[in-house]
């Protein structure tokens, strides 16, 4: 009896499984719902996704019903959390209305990219007559083998575009060159200055400009594939994906006036951190609504090479002039980056190297001035903003200009009429130079002439020194600086000391020798006349600020920073303390004995050690008045004999010197 019941039980299980697959439904995520357009094997396909249906409206028409769904673990996006609501799924679907045992079931893997873009891959038909039960866990390769990649997924574009901000796609002002036709193009590259991209977003604005950007193609006479065309694209979002083993940033755009959906939607691709030696950005754009034709930033249907340019504004022509002695090439060290600064009578240009391949160019144009304050228009290459900022420029002394920059004020559409007076009062108010009114330990930033003009060092004489480095790399150690001017001789050196000196032979230089031979012969002369200093520092400028004396030195052999900032202080008649920063900027809380606080690394204690024949007298200038010119007596002629008239002239010269 049991043997006769086996076929009936198998039949019952088979029918129950078939019935369950036929009637069971699942809910498709709401972010997939809507009308979509895709291009599959060159055919335009329109798809409607509803609550539990996946309907293809194009020929051949079909309607699939969701039977089971699996939601993959949520993935974090590299693009600033842009895909925080990403839902990737694998769905088991069957043809709606069919109940035959030979019914086809399909596995569809869906990748959610943006609210306007999804990508999917459909598995081949699965039938019940294979003898194995159909389950989403065992039958769908999206679960067993993983989700599809960009190379084998079909991109679907939402026909009714959801409004998104363009800031995740593209932002800024660019001039670009373009090439049409992909790798087999024979048209050539069109590089016309009138080819521009303007993607400017106004933060917080509800207007359409935040959701669109403008591309203006200009025609080149010698390039047959170039055109004169202006296109306004609506941003559909951007996402990060791996293609051919490289992670790219993809974006989708829609032409706002094109009615043909085959020409309306485009896919774009770029690469973050391209490390282009010319500071340019490469994009590729597809010809049709498909991302599979984009293989790299050098291989696409349309290749764009973007160069950052400054935005157009009526407030860039200068209206005032800067002091003439400030014109030249300068160097400044910011809190994070260092910049080369170019100044003429009306403009200031900053070129800041963010990294080895990325350069930030900022330009200032003088608009109004009062005293030491200069209100300037600020524009940055590749950015849309036009700001007004105020410079507080101290008069130049030595090869140094001390300055401060106030808080920026954005130029808006509401600024009309005689608004420049209001802007000056806003940007050049003394309160605008500090972001926090309780911040009282601020100090001036420093512009250093590059290459510098040497000045007499404020510390002179011959000293021995002790050093306190924060690490061994900061320590002053002896070294051989290449080929010596003469052969070294072997001397019996019994006294080796550390030496730092600045003598009248070269008052503009400080020489440092970590291991100096101080042994002298029977005449009191040094026997180590072949010694070569380890470091030669050229004094660039010095001053006193907040009761602290600062010194800037230049060393062309310094591998860390050619310019260094020092804080120095005289402890006694014979002792001097010095603290060296790690670059050309002294931190506000740096003192003469600092070496452990961030931004510093070395402290020196100098003790006077002049010998009989050194001819290296002491000199110390705390920098109270850096604008004071040194008193110099010029000897135009000399006399062989000393006469009373010469004595009288010498006495009068000394009296005039003391009176001065």
């Amino acid at each position: 009896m049991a043997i006769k019941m086996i076929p009936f039980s198998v039949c019952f299980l088979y029918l129950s499984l078939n019935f369950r697959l036929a009637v069971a439904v699942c809910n498709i995520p709401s972010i997939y719902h809507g009308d979509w357009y895709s291009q599959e094997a060159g055919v335009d396909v329109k798809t409607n996704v509803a609550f539990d249906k996946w309907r293809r409206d194009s020929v051949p028409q079909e309607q699939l019903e969701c039977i089971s769904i699996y939601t993959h673990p949520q993935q974090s996006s590299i693009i600033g959390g842009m895909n925080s609501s990403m839902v990737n799924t694998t769905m088991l679907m069957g043809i709606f209305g069919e109940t035959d045992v030979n019914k086809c079931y399909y596995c569809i893997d869906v990748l959610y990219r943006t609210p306007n873009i999804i990508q999917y891959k459909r598995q081949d038909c699965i039938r019940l007559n294979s003898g194995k039960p159909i389950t989403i866990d065992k039958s769908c390769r999206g679960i067993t083998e993983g989700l599809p990649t960009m190379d084998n997924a079909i991109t679907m574009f939402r026909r009714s575009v959801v409004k998104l901000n363009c800031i995740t796609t593209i932002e800024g002002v660019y001039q670009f060159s373009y090439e049409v036709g992909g790798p087999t193009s024979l048209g050539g590259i069109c590089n016309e200055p009138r080819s521009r991209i303007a993607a400017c977003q106004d933060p917080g604005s509800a207007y359409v400009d935040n959701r669109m950007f403008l591309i203006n193609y200009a025609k080149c006479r010698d390039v047959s594939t170039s055109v004169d065309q202006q296109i306004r694209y609506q941003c559909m979002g951007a996402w990060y994906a791996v293609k051919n083993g490289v992670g790219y940033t993809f974006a989708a755009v829609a032409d706002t006036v094109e009615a043909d959906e085959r020409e309306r939607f485009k896919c774009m691709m770029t690469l973050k951190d391209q490390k282009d030696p010319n500071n340019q950005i490469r994009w590729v754009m597809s010809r049709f609504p498909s991302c599979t034709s984009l293989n790299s930033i050098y291989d696409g249907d349309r290749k764009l090479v973007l160069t950052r340019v400054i935005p157009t504004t009526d407030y860039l022509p200068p209206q005032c002039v800067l002091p003439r002695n400030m014109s030249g090439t300068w160097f400044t060290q910011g809190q994070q980056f260092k910049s080369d600064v170019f100044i003429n009578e009306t403009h200031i240009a900053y070129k800041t190297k963010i990294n080895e391949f990325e350069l930030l160019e900022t330009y200032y144009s003088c608009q109004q001035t009062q005293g030491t304050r200069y209100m300037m228009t600020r524009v940055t290459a590749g950015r849309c903003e036009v700001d007004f900022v105020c410079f507080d420029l101290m008069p130049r002394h030595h090869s140094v200009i001390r300055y401060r920059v106030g808080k920026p004020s954005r130029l808006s559409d509401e600024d009309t009429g005689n608004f420049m007076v209001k802007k000056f009062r806003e940007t050049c108010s003394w309160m605008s130079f500090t972001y926090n009114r309780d911040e009282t330990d601020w100090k001036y930033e420093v512009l250093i002439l590059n290459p510098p003009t040497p000045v007499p060092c404020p510390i002179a004489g011959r000293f021995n020194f002790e050093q306190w480095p924060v690490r061994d790399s900061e320590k002053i150690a002896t070294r051989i600086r290449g080929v010596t001017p003469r052969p070294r001789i072997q001397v019996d050196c019994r006294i080796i000391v550390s030496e730092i000196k600045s003598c009248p032979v070269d008052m503009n230089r400080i020489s440092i020798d970590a291991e100096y031979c101080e042994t002298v012969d029977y005449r009191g002369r040094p026997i180590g006349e072949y010694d070569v200093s380890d470091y030669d520092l050229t004094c660039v400028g010095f001053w006193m600020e907040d009761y602290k004396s600062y010194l800037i030195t230049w060393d062309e052999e310094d591998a860390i920073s050619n310019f260094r900032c020092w804080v120095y202080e005289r402890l006694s008649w014979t002792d001097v303390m010095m603290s060296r920063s790690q670059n050309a900027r002294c931190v506000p809380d740096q003192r003469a004995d600092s070496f452990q606080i961030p931004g510093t690394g070395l402290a020196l204690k100098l003790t006077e050690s002049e010998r009989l024949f050194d001819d290296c007298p002491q000199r110390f200038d705390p920098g109270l008045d850096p604008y004071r010119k040194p008193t110099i007596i010029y000897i135009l002629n000399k006399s062989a004999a000393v006469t009373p008239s010469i004595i009288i002239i010498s006495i009068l010269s000394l009296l005039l010197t003391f009176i001065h």
Side-chain angles (χ1 to χ4, degrees):
M1 186 67 180
I3 297 176
K4 294 182 180 179
M5 290 296 294
I6 291 176
F8 176 77
S9 61
V10 172
C11 182
F12 177 77
L13 291 174
Y14 183 81
L15 292 176
S16 62
L17 177 62
N18 187 24
F19 179 76
R20 182 179 65 83
L21 292 174
V23 300
V25 295
C26 63
N27 298 331
I28 299 177
S30 59
I31 55 176
Y32 299 169
H33 296 179
D35 294 322
W36 302 85
Y37 171 85
S38 61
Q39 195 175 71
E40 304 176 17
V43 178
D44 297 339
V45 177
K46 297 177 182 178
T47 306
N48 177 268
V49 181
F51 180 74
D52 60 347
K53 301 293 190 301
W54 185 289
R55 187 178 73 248
R56 175 184 173 127
D57 295 333
S58 303
V59 178
Q61 296 182 353
E62 67 176 2
Q63 181 169 319
L64 302 179
E65 181 182 25
C66 183
I67 297 173
S68 181
I69 185 171
Y70 171 79
T71 302
H72 292 268
Q74 191 170 3
Q75 300 177 2
S76 60
S77 173
I78 292 181
I79 313 178
M82 183 175 52
N83 297 348
S84 58
S85 59
M86 181 190 306
V87 178
N88 297 332
T89 59
T90 296
M91 295 181 289
L92 178 63
M93 291 189 165
I95 298 179
F96 178 71
E98 291 188 0
T99 58
D100 298 335
V101 294
N102 293 327
K103 176 181 178 180
C104 274
Y105 295 91
Y106 299 95
C107 290
I108 298 181
D109 301 315
V110 181
L111 300 172
Y112 175 83
R113 298 304 192 183
T114 76
N116 294 304
I117 300 295
I118 60 175
Q119 292 180 313
Y120 82 97
K121 180 182 179 182
R122 179 165 140 172
Q123 194 173 325
D124 294 336
C125 172
I126 306 173
R127 298 183 183 274
L128 283 170
N129 56 11
S130 60
K132 297 181 180 180
I134 299 177
T135 61
I136 190 172
D137 297 334
K138 297 181 179 179
S139 303
C140 294
R141 289 195 291 266
I143 299 177
T144 59
E145 300 178 6
L147 291 169
T149 62
M150 286 290 299
D151 298 323
N152 51 21
I154 297 174
T155 305
M156 300 176 67
F157 298 79
R158 188 182 292 275
R159 299 176 66 188
S160 299
V161 180
V162 176
K163 298 175 182 178
L164 297 177
N165 196 299
C166 285
I167 193 169
T168 57
T169 302
I170 187 171
E171 183 184 21
V173 183
Y174 305 90
Q175 184 273 334
F176 67 94
S177 63
Y178 64 97
E179 182 181 4
V180 180
T184 59
S185 173
L186 301 177
I189 300 174
C190 178
N191 189 6
E192 171 64 38
R194 294 181 294 112
S195 296
R196 293 292 182 102
I197 294 178
C200 297
Q201 290 86 39
D202 188 8
S205 173
Y207 295 102
V208 71
D209 291 344
N210 278 6
R211 304 186 292 269
M212 299 184 183
F213 67 95
L214 192 67
I215 295 185
N216 183 32
Y217 292 96
K219 185 175 180 59
C220 296
R221 293 184 178 181
D222 55 344
V223 180
S224 60
T225 55
S226 62
V227 293
D228 271 320
Q229 188 179 19
Q230 188 178 78
I231 305 176
R232 184 180 295 273
Y233 284 110
Q234 183 175 358
C235 296
M236 302 180 70
W239 68 95
Y240 176 85
V242 177
K243 187 178 180 68
N244 299 327
V246 181
Y248 293 98
T249 299
F250 290 84
V253 294
D255 193 332
T256 57
V257 297
E258 181 63 55
D260 185 3
E261 291 181 324
R262 184 183 177 91
E263 300 288 343
R264 178 188 177 193
F265 300 111
K266 308 288 183 185
C267 188
M268 302 175 65
M269 184 178 75
T270 187
L271 179 66
K272 297 295 183 181
D273 301 327
Q274 295 184 18
K275 298 181 180 181
D276 189 278
N278 298 318
N279 197 31
Q280 295 176 324
I281 305 172
R282 290 183 176 271
W283 281 84
V284 287
M285 178 184 290
S286 64
R287 173 70 175 84
F288 298 110
S290 175
C291 296
T292 56
S293 62
L294 307 179
N295 298 314
S296 72
I297 57 175
Y298 302 97
D299 185 4
D301 299 325
R302 179 167 295 186
K303 296 186 284 289
L304 309 177
V305 181
L306 279 58
T307 303
R308 298 175 177 90
V309 294
I310 61 175
T312 303
T313 175
D314 295 333
Y315 301 99
L316 204 55
Q319 305 296 327
C320 60
V321 295
L322 300 170
R324 286 192 174 183
N325 65 346
M326 293 186 180
S327 297
T329 302
W330 303 79
F331 172 86
T332 185
Q333 175 69 56
Q335 295 184 5
Q336 189 174 7
F337 303 108
K338 54 187 178 182
S339 305
D340 292 321
V341 184
F342 306 91
I343 303 178
N344 58 22
E345 291 188 354
T346 56
H347 292 80
I348 300 177
Y350 275 71
K351 293 189 176 181
T352 304
K353 205 166 186 179
I354 306 300
N355 51 51
E356 186 178 356
F357 301 97
E358 188 175 357
L359 185 68
L360 182 65
E361 300 180 17
T362 307
Y363 300 91
Y364 299 87
S365 175
C366 187
Q367 299 298 315
Q368 292 187 14
T369 177
Q370 182 177 358
T372 61
R373 291 171 291 173
Y374 297 83
M375 187 183 75
M376 314 193 81
T377 306
R378 182 181 71 181
V379 292
T380 302
R383 296 184 181 178
C384 303
E385 297 82 10
V386 178
D387 299 323
F388 292 99
V389 297
C390 191
F391 276 74
D392 178 20
L393 297 171
M394 297 288 289
R396 172 183 173 178
H397 61 85
H398 307 139
S399 295
V400 171
I401 300 175
R402 289 179 286 160
Y403 73 100
R404 288 191 295 167
V405 181
K407 292 181 287 188
S409 177
R410 181 69 51 83
L411 176 66
S412 63
D413 296 334
E414 299 176 357
D415 293 330
T416 57
N418 190 21
F419 73 95
M420 295 294 283
V421 176
K422 178 182 176 182
K423 286 292 183 183
F424 184 86
R425 293 175 180 174
E426 178 184 352
T427 59
C428 287
S429 170
W430 291 113
M431 294 185 297
S432 70
F433 289 100
T434 54
Y435 288 86
N436 183 1
R437 61 183 300 175
D438 297 327
E439 182 183 353
T440 58
D441 60 344
W442 60 268
K443 64 181 295 291
Y444 284 97
E445 302 295 335
V446 178
L447 287 172
I448 307 170
L449 189 65
N450 190 19
T453 300
V455 299
C457 296
I459 302 173
R462 183 181 182 273
F463 303 87
N464 298 137
F465 67 88
E466 299 178 66
Q467 56 180 324
W468 292 271
V470 70
R471 63 181 68 90
D472 290 340
S473 59
E474 295 285 346
K475 184 178 181 180
I476 295 177
T478 187
R479 61 177 183 172
I480 298 178
R481 299 165 56 191
V483 180
T484 57
R486 61 181 70 90
R488 291 180 177 269
I489 61 174
Q490 299 296 325
V491 297
D492 184 16
C493 187
R494 301 181 180 182
I495 304 176
I496 298 177
V497 297
S498 58
E499 180 193 61
I500 180 170
K501 64 181 180 180
S502 178
C503 300
V505 176
D506 191 350
M507 300 173 60
N508 305 327
R509 178 171 297 181
I510 296 177
S511 299
I512 304 177
D513 198 339
E515 296 179 1
Y516 175 76
C517 181
E518 201 176 36
T519 304
V520 295
D521 59 13
Y522 67 96
R523 300 175 301 166
R525 304 287 183 177
I527 64 174
E529 67 270 15
Y530 293 96
D531 285 340
V532 178
S533 58
D534 296 320
Y535 300 88
D536 288 323
L537 309 181
T538 301
C539 296
V540 175
F542 58 91
W543 69 96
M544 177 176 281
E545 182 179 336
D546 292 338
Y547 297 100
K548 289 189 290 187
S549 299
Y550 293 90
L551 168 67
I552 301 294
T553 61
W554 178 74
D555 181 7
E556 62 179 349
E557 298 179 359
D558 195 330
I560 304 300
S561 176
N562 294 134
F563 294 99
R564 295 276 191 163
C565 181
W566 302 73
V567 177
Y568 64 96
E569 179 183 356
R570 190 166 194 170
L571 303 180
S572 65
W573 184 257
T574 58
D575 295 332
V576 177
M577 200 74 189
M578 301 181 69
S579 171
R580 187 183 71 179
S581 67
Q582 293 181 348
N583 49 39
R585 185 177 187 271
C586 285
V587 294
D589 54 347
Q590 182 176 351
R591 302 188 306 271
D593 58 351
S594 300
F595 67 96
Q596 291 181 323
I597 63 175
T600 64
L602 178 67
L604 302 178
K605 183 180 180 181
L606 281 56
T607 302
E608 191 270 337
S609 180
E610 184 185 7
R611 296 172 298 182
L612 179 62
F613 298 105
D614 282 335
D615 190 20
C616 197
Q618 282 196 68
R619 184 179 69 255
F620 185 84
D621 189 342
L624 285 171
D625 186 7
Y627 303 98
R628 183 183 60 187
K629 296 182 179 180
T631 302
I632 301 175
I633 299 177
Y634 295 95
I635 301 176
L636 303 179
N637 195 4
K638 65 178 181 178
S639 176
V642 178
T643 61
S645 60
I646 294 177
I647 296 176
I648 294 173
I649 293 174
S650 300
I651 294 174
L652 290 176
S653 299
L654 290 174
L655 290 175
L656 290 174
T657 301
F658 288 122
I659 293 173
H660 178 72

